[in-house]
Amino acid sequence: MQTASILIEIGRYYLMAGGVVAVLFLAIGIDRVEPSSRGSYVFRPLLVPGICLIWPLVLYRWIRLEKHGEDAR
Amino acid sequence: MSVQYMPVIWNRNKIVYDAVLLIAVALYLYVYIRVGPAFEDVTRPIDGAILRMRAFGSCAFLMLTVILCIGPLARLDRRFLPLLYNRRHFGVMTAVIAAVHANYVLGWYFNFSPTDQYVALLSSNTNYGQILGFPFEAFGIAALLILLVLAATSHDFWLSFLGAPIWKALHMFIYAAYACVVLHVALGALQGPGDPIFTALVAASVVLVSGLHFVTGRMEAKRDRGEQTAQASLQEQGWVIAGDLDEIDDTCAKVVTLSDDERVAIFKYDGKLSAITNACAHQNGPLGEGKVLWGCITCPWHGYQYNLADGRAPAPFTEKISTYRLKLVGSTILLDPNALPPGTHVNPIEFGGDS
Ligand code: HEM
Ligand code: FES
């Protein structure tokens, strides 16, 4: 019982943090690191679930692409 | 260089693909829910919600099986390639069907539990130390999480943003998801009263998926070995490795240096490869820097033109340059360094498709 509620709580906070990352990334990051997405807005909401699920990876790639540009691809 | 992103790119083929897929899924669910009750007996009462839960669960399992078979099938026989082509819509739909299955479980088994449904799901069985009565739901949850992550990262954006190596590694988790589902079913549904049809189905799926991967794996290892020996024997005859097919952009050339004053330009155009000397007959202009049009290369310096297949300037001109023989082994291009007399026709190497 205890463990289960803790797991669910962790999951909830994880997804909430993902939501914050999603807003930041779609508002700021995506135009900076993904040239092909400049000017396209319709497809962005589609990325929200993915960002919420794997936001640590998104942050990692965002930082890498900011630092190393296209070389990181 | 890149096109703008769209939410989903559909074309005629993909619409047909998706339509066939949707119809097949709907038909499966309909038949299962219609015919299922006929197999009901006292030991296994089946009511609406359970039936629908099973219909969606088994549907997702079968879809996952098909997805994993498409890859090796397409490698065995090119006629399966159209199936591969829109596999991501297949995957997304599988994740949706699996989510519906899980939702039925939550709604049915835990609807009346006083605790939160999700908490109840995780805490109802924690016998992780035993095989019989193992909390097989955990494997279902793991599989569903993987399927959701893969579905959520199937858009082209993710391939470009994460980079191909990370994206591919991520999507290899589809195999982990399949293993989890097999365990989920083996420790769950198959532990109950025997259901020969479903048991046979699961066994057939495991045999098919692992068998197909084994066979294609063997085949590719054999082909790789064949390519290596072919390459080695050509090299023994003095041929040189000129590079990989992917290195050359379409209508452009890769220039290979054989010696100080001998350079060869290998052109890729119209799904073909041809090699000519890099030196123009006029004033040694760098032909490899020209672009191919209609199978002809135009020298970037003063515009002399040559047919790539025979190194001859189109009539009425009479200039001729040397051509070279090429061989393609796998995706490796090999070059015979002995120049052929100027104007010698060499059949271009067709590598199929200029994609
Ligand atoms: C949160 C995730 C999941 C939960 C909680 C869950 C739970 C369950 C439960 C309680 C059963 C009934 C077992 C029984 O009849 O003894 C079941 C059966 C099944 N599940 Fe899941 N499941 C989940 C995810 C999945 C996924 C992702 C798949 C496949 C891709 C899947 C495929 C199946 C299949 C094939 C059955 C057997 C259906 C039958 O009896 O014909 N499940 N699941
Ligand atoms: S050198 Fe090629 S056209 Fe003059």
Side-chain angles (χ1 to χ4, degrees), chain B residues 5-89:
Chain B
Y5 286 127
M6 311 257 267
V8 185
I9 300 171
W10 259 299
N11 57 29
R12 226 187 87 82
N13 283 334
K14 290 193 186 177
I15 289 175
V16 171
Y17 188 108
D18 290 353
V20 170
L21 194 58
L22 267 176
I23 291 171
V25 167
L27 210 64
Y28 176 85
L29 295 173
Y30 177 81
V31 169
Y32 194 105
I33 290 166
R34 263 306 160 93
V35 178
F39 292 90
E40 186 174 28
D41 61 33
V42 203
T43 57
R44 297 190 314 134
I46 303 178
D47 100 319
I50 296 189
L51 192 62
R52 284 194 289 276
M53 178 275 284
R54 289 195 172 149
F56 278 90
S58 58
C59 186
F61 175 65
L62 289 178
M63 289 171 81
L64 198 51
T65 303
V66 174
I67 288 178
L68 291 182
C69 289
I70 291 176
L73 280 177
R75 272 178 276 157
L76 283 175
D77 190 329
R78 296 182 63 83
R79 276 171 300 179
F80 286 104
L81 272 177
L83 289 176
L84 194 66
Y85 167 64
N86 203 18
R87 197 161 48 157
R88 68 176 77 178
H89 290 193

Coordinates of all heavy atoms in Angstrom, one line a residue, chain B residues 5-89:
Chain B
Y5 N 8.0 20.9 -40.5 CA 7.3 19.8 -39.9 C 5.8 20.0 -40.0 O 5.2 21.1 -39.8 CB 7.6 19.7 -38.4 CG 9.0 19.1 -38.2 CD1 9.9 19.8 -37.4 CD2 9.4 17.9 -38.7 CE1 11.2 19.3 -37.2 CE2 10.6 17.4 -38.5 CZ 11.5 18.1 -37.7 OH 12.8 17.6 -37.5
M6 N 5.1 18.9 -40.2 CA 3.6 18.9 -40.2 C 3.2 17.9 -39.1 O 3.9 17.0 -38.7 CB 3.1 18.3 -41.5 CG 3.8 19.0 -42.7 SD 2.7 20.2 -43.4 CE 1.9 19.1 -44.6
P7 N 1.9 18.1 -38.6 CA 1.5 17.1 -37.6 C 1.6 15.7 -38.0 O 2.2 14.9 -37.4 CB 0.0 17.6 -37.4 CG -0.1 19.0 -37.8 CD 1.0 19.1 -38.9
V8 N 0.9 15.4 -39.1 CA 1.0 14.0 -39.7 C 1.1 14.2 -41.2 O 0.4 15.0 -41.8 CB -0.2 13.2 -39.4 CG1 0.0 11.7 -39.9 CG2 -0.5 13.2 -37.9
I9 N 2.0 13.4 -41.8 CA 2.0 13.5 -43.3 C 1.3 12.3 -43.9 O 1.7 11.2 -43.6 CB 3.4 13.6 -43.8 CG1 4.1 14.8 -43.2 CG2 3.5 13.6 -45.3 CD1 5.6 14.8 -43.5
W10 N 0.2 12.6 -44.6 CA -0.5 11.5 -45.1 C -0.5 11.6 -46.7 O -0.4 12.7 -47.2 CB -2.0 11.6 -44.7 CG -2.4 10.6 -43.6 CD1 -2.3 9.3 -43.7 CD2 -2.9 11.0 -42.3 NE1 -2.7 8.8 -42.5 CE2 -3.1 9.8 -41.6 CE3 -3.2 12.2 -41.7 CZ2 -3.6 9.7 -40.3 CZ3 -3.6 12.1 -40.4 CH2 -3.8 10.9 -39.7
N11 N -0.4 10.4 -47.3 CA -0.6 10.4 -48.7 C -1.5 9.3 -49.0 O -2.0 8.6 -48.1 CB 0.8 10.3 -49.4 CG 1.5 9.1 -49.0 OD1 0.9 8.1 -48.6 ND2 2.9 9.1 -49.0
R12 N -1.7 9.0 -50.3 CA -2.7 8.0 -50.7 C -2.4 6.7 -50.1 O -3.2 6.0 -49.5 CB -2.8 7.9 -52.2 CG -4.2 7.9 -52.8 CD -4.2 7.6 -54.2 NE -4.1 6.2 -54.4 CZ -5.2 5.4 -54.4 NH1 -6.4 6.0 -54.2 NH2 -5.2 4.1 -54.6
N13 N -1.1 6.3 -50.2 CA -0.7 4.9 -49.7 C -1.0 4.8 -48.2 O -1.4 3.8 -47.7 CB 0.7 4.7 -50.0 CG 1.0 4.3 -51.5 OD1 0.0 3.8 -52.1 ND2 2.1 4.6 -52.0
K14 N -0.6 5.9 -47.5 CA -0.7 5.8 -46.1 C -2.2 5.8 -45.7 O -2.6 5.2 -44.7 CB 0.0 7.0 -45.4 CG 1.5 6.9 -45.5 CD 2.2 7.9 -44.6 CE 3.7 7.9 -44.8 NZ 4.3 8.9 -44.0
I15 N -3.0 6.5 -46.4 CA -4.4 6.5 -46.1 C -5.0 5.1 -46.3 O -5.7 4.6 -45.4 CB -5.2 7.6 -46.9 CG1 -4.8 9.0 -46.4 CG2 -6.7 7.4 -46.8 CD1 -5.4 10.1 -47.2
V16 N -4.6 4.5 -47.4 CA -5.1 3.1 -47.6 C -4.6 2.2 -46.5 O -5.3 1.4 -45.9 CB -4.6 2.6 -49.0 CG1 -4.9 1.1 -49.2 CG2 -5.2 3.4 -50.1
Y17 N -3.3 2.3 -46.2 CA -2.7 1.5 -45.1 C -3.5 1.7 -43.8 O -3.9 0.7 -43.2 CB -1.3 2.0 -44.9 CG -0.4 1.2 -44.0 CD1 0.7 0.5 -44.6 CD2 -0.5 1.3 -42.7 CE1 1.5 -0.2 -43.8 CE2 0.4 0.6 -41.8 CZ 1.4 -0.2 -42.4 OH 2.3 -0.8 -41.6
D18 N -3.7 3.0 -43.4 CA -4.4 3.2 -42.2 C -5.8 2.7 -42.2 O -6.3 2.2 -41.2 CB -4.4 4.7 -41.8 CG -3.0 5.2 -41.5 OD1 -2.1 4.3 -41.3 OD2 -2.8 6.4 -41.3
A19 N -6.5 2.8 -43.3 CA -7.8 2.4 -43.4 C -7.9 0.9 -43.3 O -8.7 0.3 -42.5 CB -8.4 2.8 -44.8
V20 N -7.0 0.1 -44.0 CA -7.0 -1.3 -43.9 C -6.7 -1.7 -42.4 O -7.4 -2.6 -41.9 CB -5.9 -1.9 -44.8 CG1 -5.7 -3.4 -44.5 CG2 -6.3 -1.7 -46.3
L21 N -5.8 -1.0 -41.8 CA -5.5 -1.3 -40.4 C -6.7 -1.1 -39.5 O -7.0 -2.0 -38.7 CB -4.3 -0.4 -40.0 CG -3.6 -0.7 -38.7 CD1 -3.0 -2.1 -38.8 CD2 -2.5 0.3 -38.5
L22 N -7.3 0.0 -39.6 CA -8.5 0.3 -38.8 C -9.6 -0.7 -39.0 O -10.2 -1.2 -38.0 CB -9.0 1.7 -39.1 CG -8.5 2.9 -38.3 CD1 -9.0 4.2 -38.8 CD2 -8.8 2.7 -36.8
I23 N -9.8 -1.1 -40.2 CA -10.9 -2.0 -40.5 C -10.5 -3.4 -39.9 O -11.4 -4.0 -39.3 CB -11.1 -2.1 -42.0 CG1 -11.7 -0.8 -42.6 CG2 -12.0 -3.3 -42.3 CD1 -11.8 -0.7 -44.0
A24 N -9.3 -3.8 -40.0 CA -8.9 -5.1 -39.5 C -9.0 -5.1 -38.0 O -9.5 -6.1 -37.4 CB -7.4 -5.4 -39.9
V25 N -8.6 -4.0 -37.3 CA -8.7 -3.9 -35.9 C -10.2 -4.0 -35.4 O -10.6 -4.7 -34.5 CB -8.0 -2.7 -35.3 CG1 -8.4 -2.4 -33.9 CG2 -6.5 -2.8 -35.5
A26 N -11.0 -3.2 -36.1 CA -12.4 -3.1 -35.8 C -13.1 -4.5 -35.9 O -13.8 -5.0 -35.1 CB -13.1 -2.1 -36.6
L27 N -12.7 -5.2 -37.0 CA -13.3 -6.5 -37.3 C -12.9 -7.5 -36.3 O -13.7 -8.3 -35.8 CB -12.7 -6.9 -38.7 CG -13.7 -7.8 -39.5 CD1 -14.9 -7.1 -39.9 CD2 -12.9 -8.3 -40.8
Y28 N -11.6 -7.4 -35.9 CA -11.1 -8.4 -34.9 C -11.8 -8.2 -33.6 O -12.3 -9.1 -33.0 CB -9.6 -8.1 -34.6 CG -9.0 -9.0 -33.5 CD1 -8.6 -10.3 -33.8 CD2 -9.0 -8.5 -32.2 CE1 -8.1 -11.1 -32.7 CE2 -8.5 -9.3 -31.2 CZ -8.1 -10.6 -31.4 OH -7.6 -11.4 -30.4
L29 N -12.0 -6.9 -33.1 CA -12.6 -6.6 -31.9 C -14.1 -7.1 -31.9 O -14.6 -7.7 -31.0 CB -12.5 -5.1 -31.5 CG -11.1 -4.6 -31.3 CD1 -11.1 -3.1 -31.1 CD2 -10.5 -5.3 -30.0
Y30 N -14.7 -6.8 -33.1 CA -16.1 -7.1 -33.2 C -16.3 -8.6 -33.2 O -17.2 -9.1 -32.4 CB -16.6 -6.6 -34.6 CG -18.1 -6.9 -34.9 CD1 -19.1 -6.2 -34.3 CD2 -18.4 -8.0 -35.7 CE1 -20.4 -6.5 -34.6 CE2 -19.7 -8.3 -36.0 CZ -20.7 -7.6 -35.4 OH -22.0 -7.9 -35.6
V31 N -15.5 -9.4 -33.9 CA -15.7 -10.8 -33.9 C -15.4 -11.4 -32.5 O -16.1 -12.2 -32.0 CB -14.7 -11.4 -35.0 CG1 -14.7 -12.9 -34.8 CG2 -15.2 -11.1 -36.4
Y32 N -14.3 -10.9 -31.9 CA -14.0 -11.4 -30.6 C -15.1 -11.2 -29.6 O -15.5 -12.1 -28.9 CB -12.7 -10.6 -30.1 CG -12.1 -11.3 -28.9 CD1 -10.9 -12.0 -29.0 CD2 -12.6 -11.2 -27.6 CE1 -10.2 -12.6 -27.9 CE2 -12.0 -11.8 -26.5 CZ -10.8 -12.5 -26.7 OH -10.2 -13.1 -25.6
I33 N -15.7 -10.0 -29.6 CA -16.7 -9.7 -28.7 C -18.0 -10.4 -29.0 O -18.8 -10.8 -28.1 CB -16.9 -8.2 -28.6 CG1 -15.7 -7.5 -27.9 CG2 -18.2 -7.8 -27.8 CD1 -15.6 -6.1 -28.1
R34 N -18.2 -10.7 -30.3 CA -19.4 -11.5 -30.7 C -19.3 -12.9 -30.5 O -20.2 -13.6 -29.9 CB -19.7 -11.2 -32.2 CG -20.7 -10.2 -32.6 CD -21.9 -10.5 -31.8 NE -22.8 -9.3 -31.6 CZ -23.8 -9.1 -32.5 NH1 -23.9 -9.8 -33.6 NH2 -24.6 -8.0 -32.3
V35 N -18.1 -13.5 -30.9 CA -17.9 -15.0 -30.8 C -17.4 -15.4 -29.4 O -17.7 -16.5 -29.0 CB -16.9 -15.4 -31.9 CG1 -16.7 -16.9 -31.8 CG2 -17.5 -15.0 -33.3
G36 N -16.8 -14.5 -28.7 CA -16.2 -14.9 -27.4 C -17.2 -15.6 -26.5 O -16.9 -16.6 -25.9
P37 N -18.4 -15.0 -26.3 CA -19.3 -15.6 -25.3 C -19.6 -17.1 -25.6 O -20.0 -17.8 -24.7 CB -20.6 -14.7 -25.5 CG -20.1 -13.4 -25.9 CD -18.9 -13.7 -26.8
A38 N -19.5 -17.5 -26.9 CA -19.8 -18.9 -27.2 C -18.8 -19.9 -26.5 O -19.1 -21.0 -26.3 CB -19.6 -19.1 -28.8
F39 N -17.6 -19.3 -26.1 CA -16.7 -20.2 -25.4 C -16.8 -20.1 -23.9 O -16.0 -20.7 -23.1 CB -15.3 -19.8 -25.8 CG -15.0 -20.1 -27.2 CD1 -15.2 -19.2 -28.2 CD2 -14.5 -21.4 -27.5 CE1 -14.9 -19.5 -29.5 CE2 -14.2 -21.7 -28.9 CZ -14.4 -20.8 -29.9
E40 N -17.8 -19.4 -23.4 CA -18.1 -19.2 -22.0 C -18.4 -20.6 -21.4 O -19.2 -21.4 -22.0 CB -19.2 -18.2 -21.8 CG -19.5 -17.8 -20.4 CD -20.5 -16.8 -20.4 OE1 -21.4 -16.7 -21.3 OE2 -20.5 -16.0 -19.5
D41 N -17.9 -20.9 -20.2 CA -18.4 -22.0 -19.4 C -18.4 -21.6 -17.9 O -18.1 -20.5 -17.6 CB -17.7 -23.3 -19.7 CG -16.2 -23.2 -19.3 OD1 -16.0 -22.5 -18.3 OD2 -15.4 -23.8 -20.0
V42 N -18.8 -22.6 -17.1 CA -19.0 -22.2 -15.7 C -17.7 -21.7 -15.1 O -17.7 -20.8 -14.2 CB -19.5 -23.4 -14.9 CG1 -20.2 -22.9 -13.7 CG2 -20.4 -24.2 -15.8
T43 N -16.6 -22.3 -15.5 CA -15.3 -22.0 -14.9 C -14.8 -20.6 -15.4 O -14.0 -20.0 -14.7 CB -14.2 -23.0 -15.2 OG1 -14.1 -23.1 -16.6 CG2 -14.5 -24.3 -14.6
R44 N -15.3 -20.2 -16.5 CA -14.8 -19.0 -17.1 C -16.0 -18.1 -17.5 O -16.2 -17.9 -18.7 CB -13.8 -19.2 -18.2 CG -12.6 -19.9 -17.8 CD -11.6 -20.0 -18.9 NE -12.1 -20.3 -20.2 CZ -11.8 -19.6 -21.3 NH1 -11.0 -18.6 -21.2 NH2 -12.4 -20.0 -22.4
P45 N -16.7 -17.6 -16.6 CA -17.8 -16.7 -17.0 C -17.2 -15.4 -17.6 O -16.2 -14.9 -17.1 CB -18.5 -16.3 -15.6 CG -17.4 -16.5 -14.6 CD -16.5 -17.6 -15.1
I46 N -17.8 -15.0 -18.7 CA -17.2 -13.9 -19.4 C -18.3 -12.8 -19.4 O -19.4 -13.1 -20.0 CB -16.8 -14.2 -20.8 CG1 -15.7 -15.4 -20.7 CG2 -16.2 -13.0 -21.5 CD1 -15.3 -15.8 -22.1
D47 N -18.1 -11.7 -18.9 CA -19.1 -10.7 -19.0 C -18.6 -9.6 -19.9 O -17.4 -9.6 -20.3 CB -19.6 -10.2 -17.7 CG -19.0 -8.9 -17.3 OD1 -17.8 -8.8 -17.5 OD2 -19.7 -8.1 -16.8
G48 N -19.4 -8.6 -20.2 CA -19.1 -7.6 -21.2 C -17.7 -6.9 -21.0 O -16.9 -6.9 -21.9
A49 N -17.5 -6.4 -19.8 CA -16.3 -5.6 -19.6 C -15.0 -6.5 -19.7 O -14.0 -6.1 -20.3 CB -16.3 -4.9 -18.2
I50 N -15.1 -7.7 -19.1 CA -14.0 -8.6 -19.2 C -13.7 -9.0 -20.6 O -12.5 -9.1 -21.1 CB -14.2 -9.9 -18.3 CG1 -14.3 -9.5 -16.9 CG2 -13.1 -10.9 -18.5 CD1 -14.4 -10.7 -15.9
L51 N -14.8 -9.3 -21.3 CA -14.7 -9.7 -22.7 C -14.0 -8.6 -23.5 O -13.0 -8.8 -24.3 CB -16.1 -9.9 -23.3 CG -16.1 -10.6 -24.6 CD1 -15.5 -12.0 -24.5 CD2 -17.5 -10.7 -25.1
R52 N -14.4 -7.3 -23.3 CA -13.8 -6.2 -24.1 C -12.3 -6.0 -23.6 O -11.5 -5.8 -24.5 CB -14.6 -4.9 -23.8 CG -15.9 -4.9 -24.6 CD -16.5 -3.5 -24.7 NE -17.0 -3.2 -23.4 CZ -18.3 -3.5 -22.9 NH1 -19.0 -4.2 -23.7 NH2 -18.7 -3.1 -21.7
M53 N -12.1 -6.2 -22.3 CA -10.7 -6.1 -21.9 C -9.8 -7.1 -22.6 O -8.7 -6.8 -23.1 CB -10.7 -6.3 -20.3 CG -9.3 -6.3 -19.7 SD -8.5 -7.9 -19.7 CE -9.4 -8.8 -18.5
R54 N -10.4 -8.4 -22.7 CA -9.6 -9.4 -23.4 C -9.4 -9.2 -24.8 O -8.4 -9.4 -25.4 CB -10.3 -10.8 -23.1 CG -10.1 -11.2 -21.7 CD -10.4 -12.7 -21.6 NE -10.1 -13.1 -20.2 CZ -10.8 -14.0 -19.6 NH1 -11.8 -14.7 -20.2 NH2 -10.4 -14.4 -18.4
A55 N -10.5 -8.7 -25.4 CA -10.5 -8.4 -26.9 C -9.4 -7.4 -27.2 O -8.5 -7.6 -28.1 CB -11.8 -7.9 -27.4
F56 N -9.3 -6.3 -26.4 CA -8.3 -5.3 -26.6 C -6.9 -5.8 -26.3 O -6.0 -5.5 -27.0 CB -8.7 -4.0 -25.9 CG -9.7 -3.1 -26.6 CD1 -11.0 -3.3 -26.3 CD2 -9.3 -2.2 -27.5 CE1 -12.0 -2.6 -27.0 CE2 -10.2 -1.4 -28.1 CZ -11.6 -1.6 -27.9
G57 N -6.8 -6.5 -25.2 CA -5.5 -7.0 -24.8 C -4.9 -7.9 -25.9 O -3.8 -7.8 -26.3
S58 N -5.7 -8.9 -26.3 CA -5.2 -9.8 -27.3 C -5.0 -9.1 -28.6 O -4.0 -9.5 -29.4 CB -6.2 -11.0 -27.5 OG -7.4 -10.6 -27.9
C59 N -5.8 -8.1 -28.9 CA -5.6 -7.4 -30.2 C -4.3 -6.7 -30.2 O -3.5 -6.7 -31.1 CB -6.7 -6.4 -30.4 SG -6.7 -5.5 -31.9
A60 N -4.0 -6.0 -29.0 CA -2.7 -5.3 -28.9 C -1.5 -6.3 -29.0 O -0.5 -6.0 -29.7 CB -2.6 -4.6 -27.6
F61 N -1.7 -7.5 -28.4 CA -0.6 -8.5 -28.5 C -0.4 -8.9 -29.9 O 0.8 -9.0 -30.4 CB -1.0 -9.7 -27.6 CG -0.1 -10.8 -27.7 CD1 1.2 -10.7 -27.3 CD2 -0.5 -12.0 -28.3 CE1 2.1 -11.8 -27.4 CE2 0.4 -13.1 -28.4 CZ 1.7 -12.9 -27.9
L62 N -1.5 -9.2 -30.7 CA -1.3 -9.6 -32.1 C -0.7 -8.5 -32.9 O 0.1 -8.8 -33.8 CB -2.7 -10.0 -32.6 CG -3.3 -11.3 -32.1 CD1 -4.6 -11.6 -32.7 CD2 -2.3 -12.5 -32.4
M63 N -1.1 -7.3 -32.6 CA -0.6 -6.2 -33.4 C 0.9 -6.0 -33.2 O 1.7 -5.8 -34.1 CB -1.3 -4.9 -33.1 CG -2.7 -4.8 -33.6 SD -3.6 -3.4 -32.9 CE -3.0 -2.1 -34.0
L64 N 1.3 -6.2 -31.9 CA 2.7 -6.1 -31.6 C 3.5 -7.3 -32.3 O 4.6 -7.0 -32.9 CB 2.9 -6.3 -30.1 CG 4.2 -5.8 -29.5 CD1 4.6 -4.4 -29.9 CD2 4.1 -5.8 -28.0
T65 N 2.9 -8.4 -32.4 CA 3.5 -9.6 -33.1 C 3.7 -9.2 -34.5 O 4.8 -9.4 -35.1 CB 2.6 -10.8 -33.0 OG1 2.4 -11.1 -31.6 CG2 3.2 -12.0 -33.7
V66 N 2.7 -8.6 -35.2 CA 2.8 -8.3 -36.6 C 3.9 -7.2 -36.8 O 4.7 -7.4 -37.7 CB 1.4 -7.8 -37.1 CG1 1.6 -7.3 -38.6 CG2 0.4 -8.9 -37.1
I67 N 3.9 -6.2 -35.9 CA 4.9 -5.2 -36.1 C 6.3 -5.8 -36.0 O 7.2 -5.4 -36.8 CB 4.8 -4.2 -34.9 CG1 3.5 -3.3 -35.1 CG2 6.0 -3.3 -34.8 CD1 3.3 -2.3 -34.0
L68 N 6.5 -6.7 -35.1 CA 7.9 -7.2 -35.0 C 8.2 -8.2 -36.2 O 9.4 -8.4 -36.4 CB 8.0 -8.0 -33.7 CG 8.0 -7.1 -32.5 CD1 8.2 -7.8 -31.2 CD2 9.1 -6.0 -32.6
C69 N 7.2 -8.7 -36.8 CA 7.5 -9.6 -38.0 C 7.7 -8.8 -39.3 O 8.4 -9.3 -40.2 CB 6.3 -10.5 -38.2 SG 6.2 -11.8 -36.9
I70 N 7.2 -7.6 -39.3 CA 7.3 -6.8 -40.6 C 8.8 -6.6 -41.0 O 9.2 -6.7 -42.1 CB 6.6 -5.4 -40.4 CG1 5.1 -5.7 -40.3 CG2 6.9 -4.6 -41.6 CD1 4.3 -4.4 -40.1
G71 N 9.6 -6.2 -40.0 CA 11.0 -5.9 -40.3 C 11.7 -7.0 -40.9 O 12.2 -6.9 -42.1
P72 N 11.8 -8.2 -40.3 CA 12.5 -9.3 -40.9 C 11.8 -9.8 -42.2 O 12.5 -10.1 -43.2 CB 12.4 -10.5 -39.9 CG 11.6 -9.9 -38.7 CD 11.5 -8.5 -38.9
L73 N 10.5 -9.7 -42.3 CA 9.8 -10.1 -43.5 C 10.2 -9.2 -44.7 O 10.5 -9.7 -45.8 CB 8.3 -10.0 -43.4 CG 7.6 -11.2 -42.7 CD1 6.1 -11.0 -42.5 CD2 7.8 -12.5 -43.4
A74 N 10.3 -7.9 -44.4 CA 10.7 -7.0 -45.5 C 12.2 -7.3 -45.9 O 12.5 -7.0 -47.1 CB 10.6 -5.6 -45.0
R75 N 13.0 -7.8 -45.0 CA 14.4 -8.1 -45.4 C 14.4 -9.4 -46.2 O 15.3 -9.6 -47.0 CB 15.2 -8.2 -44.2 CG 15.8 -6.8 -43.8 CD 16.7 -6.9 -42.6 NE 15.8 -6.7 -41.4 CZ 16.2 -7.2 -40.2 NH1 17.3 -7.8 -40.0 NH2 15.4 -7.0 -39.2
L76 N 13.5 -10.3 -45.9 CA 13.4 -11.6 -46.6 C 12.9 -11.4 -48.0 O 13.3 -12.0 -48.9 CB 12.6 -12.6 -45.9 CG 13.2 -13.3 -44.6 CD1 12.1 -14.1 -44.0 CD2 14.4 -14.1 -45.0
D77 N 11.9 -10.5 -48.1 CA 11.2 -10.4 -49.4 C 10.8 -8.9 -49.6 O 10.0 -8.4 -48.7 CB 10.0 -11.3 -49.4 CG 9.4 -11.4 -50.8 OD1 9.5 -10.4 -51.6 OD2 8.8 -12.4 -51.2
R78 N 11.3 -8.3 -50.6 CA 11.0 -6.9 -50.8 C 9.5 -6.6 -50.9 O 9.1 -5.4 -50.8 CB 11.7 -6.4 -52.0 CG 13.2 -6.4 -51.9 CD 13.9 -5.9 -53.1 NE 13.6 -4.5 -53.3 CZ 14.3 -3.5 -52.7 NH1 15.2 -3.8 -51.9 NH2 14.0 -2.2 -52.9
R79 N 8.7 -7.6 -51.3 CA 7.3 -7.3 -51.4 C 6.6 -6.9 -50.1 O 5.5 -6.3 -50.1 CB 6.6 -8.5 -52.0 CG 6.7 -8.6 -53.5 CD 6.2 -9.8 -54.1 NE 6.9 -11.0 -53.6 CZ 6.7 -12.2 -53.8 NH1 5.7 -12.5 -54.6 NH2 7.4 -13.2 -53.3
F80 N 7.3 -7.2 -49.0 CA 6.7 -6.7 -47.7 C 7.0 -5.3 -47.4 O 6.6 -4.8 -46.4 CB 7.2 -7.7 -46.6 CG 6.6 -9.0 -46.6 CD1 7.2 -10.1 -47.1 CD2 5.2 -9.2 -46.2 CE1 6.7 -11.4 -47.1 CE2 4.7 -10.4 -46.2 CZ 5.4 -11.5 -46.7
L81 N 7.9 -4.7 -48.2 CA 8.3 -3.3 -47.9 C 7.2 -2.3 -47.7 O 7.3 -1.5 -46.8 CB 9.3 -2.8 -49.0 CG 10.7 -3.2 -48.8 CD1 11.6 -2.7 -50.0 CD2 11.3 -2.5 -47.5
P82 N 6.1 -2.4 -48.5 CA 5.0 -1.4 -48.2 C 4.5 -1.5 -46.8 O 4.0 -0.5 -46.3 CB 3.9 -1.9 -49.2 CG 4.7 -2.6 -50.3 CD 5.9 -3.2 -49.6
L83 N 4.6 -2.7 -46.2 CA 4.1 -2.8 -44.8 C 5.0 -2.0 -43.8 O 4.6 -1.4 -42.9 CB 4.1 -4.2 -44.3 CG 3.0 -5.1 -45.0 CD1 3.2 -6.5 -44.5 CD2 1.6 -4.6 -44.6
L84 N 6.3 -2.0 -44.2 CA 7.3 -1.4 -43.3 C 7.1 0.1 -43.3 O 7.3 0.8 -42.3 CB 8.7 -1.7 -43.9 CG 9.9 -1.5 -43.0 CD1 9.9 -2.3 -41.8 CD2 11.2 -1.7 -43.8
Y85 N 6.8 0.6 -44.5 CA 6.8 2.0 -44.8 C 5.9 2.9 -43.9 O 6.3 4.0 -43.6 CB 6.3 2.0 -46.3 CG 5.9 3.3 -46.9 CD1 6.9 4.3 -47.0 CD2 4.6 3.5 -47.3 CE1 6.5 5.5 -47.6 CE2 4.3 4.7 -47.9 CZ 5.2 5.7 -48.1 OH 4.9 6.9 -48.6
N86 N 4.9 2.3 -43.4 CA 4.0 3.1 -42.5 C 3.9 2.5 -41.2 O 2.8 2.6 -40.5 CB 2.6 3.3 -43.2 CG 2.0 4.5 -42.6 OD1 2.6 5.4 -42.1 ND2 0.7 4.6 -42.8
R87 N 4.9 1.8 -40.7 CA 4.9 1.0 -39.5 C 4.5 1.9 -38.3 O 4.0 1.5 -37.3 CB 6.2 0.3 -39.3 CG 6.1 -0.8 -38.4 CD 7.3 -1.8 -38.5 NE 8.6 -1.1 -38.6 CZ 9.7 -1.7 -38.3 NH1 9.7 -3.0 -37.9 NH2 10.8 -1.1 -38.4
R88 N 4.9 3.2 -38.4 CA 4.7 4.0 -37.2 C 3.3 4.2 -36.8 O 2.9 4.3 -35.7 CB 5.5 5.3 -37.3 CG 5.0 6.3 -38.3 CD 5.7 7.6 -38.2 NE 7.0 7.4 -38.8 CZ 7.9 8.4 -38.9 NH1 7.6 9.6 -38.4 NH2 9.0 8.3 -39.6
H89 N 2.4 4.3 -37.9 CA 1.0 4.5 -37.6 C 0.5 3.2 -36.9 O -0.4 3.2 -36.0 CB 0.2 4.7 -38.8 CG 0.4 6.1 -39.4 ND1 -0.3 6.7 -40.4 CD2 1.4 7.0 -39.1 CE1 0.1 7.9 -40.6 NE2 1.2 8.1 -39.9

